[in-house]
Amino acid sequence: MSGHMPVIVHPPLGDGGRRVTVRGEDFGLASGLPDLVEFLSRAGLDMEDTEAVVSPLIDWRGGGPDYWGPEPRL
């Protein structure tokens, strides 16, 4: 897994929410930071919302932690 972040928050889906994978395993569809933090906890990566926003372990694709879709980014 060299060169890859252990957590990927994928781009928002058409009807909202973002798929989350941790170490290549699908953890589900997050609709916001609380869901992401829960998935991280289940994976043994305990962190608060504020930590998840800036963590170097998370690769935010298709928008940052403020964008969960489907509304347009500002």
Side-chain angles (χ1 to χ4, degrees):
M1 194 152 67
S2 176
H4 296 286
M5 302 295 180
V7 179
I8 299 173
V9 180
H10 297 271
L13 299 175
D15 56 353
R18 298 173 78 164
R19 182 86 26 218
V20 176
T21 55
V22 180
R23 298 181 190 102
E25 182 181 342
D26 183 8
F27 267 72
L29 185 66
S31 59
L33 281 172
D35 292 338
L36 174 62
V37 169
E38 175 63 29
F39 295 158
L40 296 175
S41 178
R42 290 183 197 169
L45 299 168
D46 292 323
M47 60 178 77
E48 300 292 326
D49 290 9
T50 54
E51 294 173 292
V53 167
V54 297
S55 175
L57 300 176
I58 300 174
D59 181 6
W60 294 92
R61 297 184 180 175
D66 294 335
Y67 183 56
W68 296 89
E71 67 281 350
R73 285 181 277 188
L74 300 175

